[in-house]
Amino acid sequence: MASYYKIVTNIVTQHIFTIVFLLTISYIARHFFCFRGIRLQQFSNLNTNNCMKVYQTNEIKNISLVGSSGSGKTTLTEAMLFESGVIKRRGSIEAKNTVSDYFPVEHEYGYSVFPTVFHSEWMGRKLNMIDCPGADDFVGGLITSLSVTDTALMLINAQHGVEVGTQNQYRQIEKLKKPCIFVVNQLDHEKADFDKTVDDLRQNFGNKVVLIQYPIQTGPAFNAVVDVLLMKLYTWKPDGGVPTISDIPANELQRASELHNILVEAAAEHEENLMEKYFADGNLTEDEMRMGIRFGLVHRDIFPVFCISAAKDMGVRRLMEFLGNVVPYVRDSAAPVASNGEEVAPLQENNASIYVFKTSVEPHIGEVSFFKVMSGKVKEGDDLYNATRQSKERLTQIYAVCGSIRTKVDELVAGDIGATVKLKNTRTSNTLNGKNADLQFDFIKYPEWKFRKAIAAVNQADEEKLSEVLTRMHEEDPTWIIEYSKELKQTIVHGQGEFHLKTLKWRIENNDKILINYSNPRIPYRETITKTARADYRHKKQSGGAGQFGEVHLIIEPCVEGVPEKEVYKISGQEIKISVRDKQEYPLEWGGKLVFINSIVGGVIDARFLPAIQKGIMDCMEQGPLTGSYARDIRVIVYDGKMHPVDSNEISFRLAGKYAFSEAFKNAGPKVLEPIYDVEVLVPSASMGDVMSDLQGRRALIMGMESDKGMEKIFAKVPLKEMNNYSISLSSNTRGRASFSMKFASYELLPSDVQDALLKEYEKSKVAE
């Protein structure tokens, strides 16, 4: 019996030990992930245990977090999520464990590459925010974010003040007419200069810049700000967090009062009732000031300025209070406009419509589609119709998003932002409608490309896989534009700069394990003629049985708009009269046109063979005799020929037409045309000389110049061939302070010396083949 009890005791002891061991491991794991700044729900990606509250349109605010690289957007994101309880510990860029930078390429580079959606539940409101990339090469993410949000929160690095990236991003904010709040960050840095930063802001953005706060001191001792809206002093302990709020000290009271009065005037200035109240009482209540500031924000009449140290979590809570109390709600912002130009009222109960503004592909999940509810509301399990691709989709699950953390929600209403997974046939920029909606949106407009390279897999066997990867990459970033050029026999990727395409290369080689090479793309030249010429060609072939016979006489001349057509041609002493029987114009897919005129008399060529002659001419125009480029803008007159009652057929006349055209083309003063682009360069005045000199070295034709808010704008026409690597040169000449855009304008004749060099190069390449 004693032995029996001993056995039972041993078994129980072992089970207790196992249970304690498992509990200990669980405890350690939980605290390890918290220490790394990663919640368990983030580690598993999908948090489906608890459903979030459904927020209404009048409880939702959508905000873009923007600023130059290094201004601290990702660090501020961590502080905001920590303050609102989404994460228990703040991650850091150095530790590669932040919520918003969770892609491997972002860990590699140490800053944001893609816009990251996150949210905070704060003061009974839902703050949807998007952390935007700061580098100019990733402007597509900035434009996407600003297009689906209502307010921009612009971070300014207190060490540097207004930077090139600040100016470039502000232009996008201004273009989209979004309210803007400036947040001066890194005030704890030893080189921080708040007063100079504010001077920079006012110099660049005018007197609409109004202080809400100012620091008592900057540098490592930074720990307090005066809030002139609330007229209180906010002080933090060394680790930041919840501030101590006290009265403003006497030695700061005069400055604070002056700034408070400026703020009150700004709040009252643009709202008639508040202005009357201010004139009557000489002041406004706190709530009235908030209302006035909100009104000023919506109409872009006020640009408030806040002070923070995101790294130390100082000032972040107060900033979030302002976002919750003052920043415009979705209902306060302009209604979305559909593709047909009609405004769409968001609160249409049975008129659900969502717009997919971003797609990402994530490990173990696949495609994640981020969307904004444009009208009505959507629920889990809703069947929607993709109006862009004309297909059906089902929202099997919908989530509120916080980086890689996704929290399940029952429904989302107009103005809200969310995500869904595994849609079958939906892509970025698609509109999905409920059964009662008939809407389509296309309001995100991306800039033209600025940098391009030909791309090829090192291993030819990977070409098909590379094509699939490039298509997917374009979905994730629409400013990566993929062109499969039949003409150039190259795949060309276009982007916003050298670093933009380097990022693409890194992702393909490291994520998809395909080695690739970049090279300079070929130039899509065109060929044309400059004078009139004639030729004839007889195709005759006899090989037993029925043979082949066709003879074509034709004239070619330049096709110039507005030039009258001739009735008589004198060529090499021969006079040829033309009687137009039929005239066809063929717009060419590569630009320009072919005019094909039937002037056959007496039935010397049967009408049924004329289409074959035209096809033969087109065969030749698809590969011009000078450089193998497409030919364009040519008028062809078929005026004579011969046929055989037995041996003539379509192939005979197709070949006869082709070779007659080729012979005439060589005698018609053939010339090469090159693509010319309209280029706009925005450059600081101090760099004008270097930039102008560089453009002239690229055969640019300067069309004009004008001043634009402290910058100079240059308008020029530049050959595409000369724009290779221009973004690198411009950045070098201006220390990164300039920007440019380019758009195709026209084809123009290549200068003779350049054409001679091109033809020699082409002949060498043909010999090498």
Side-chain angles (χ1 to χ4, degrees), residues 338-356:
S339 301
N340 60 8
E342 294 182 8
E343 288 191 355
V344 178
L347 299 177
Q348 298 183 35
E349 186 70 22
N350 298 314
N351 202 22
S353 182
I354 67 174
Y355 178 76
V356 177

Side-chain angles (χ1 to χ4, degrees), residues 42 99-100 102 116-119 362 370 401-406:
Q42 180 179 358
V99 169
S100 58
Y102 60 93
T116 302
V117 179
F118 68 100
H119 72 272
E362 301 185 15
F370 297 82
V401 185
C402 199
S404 62
I405 306 169
R406 282 172 284 279

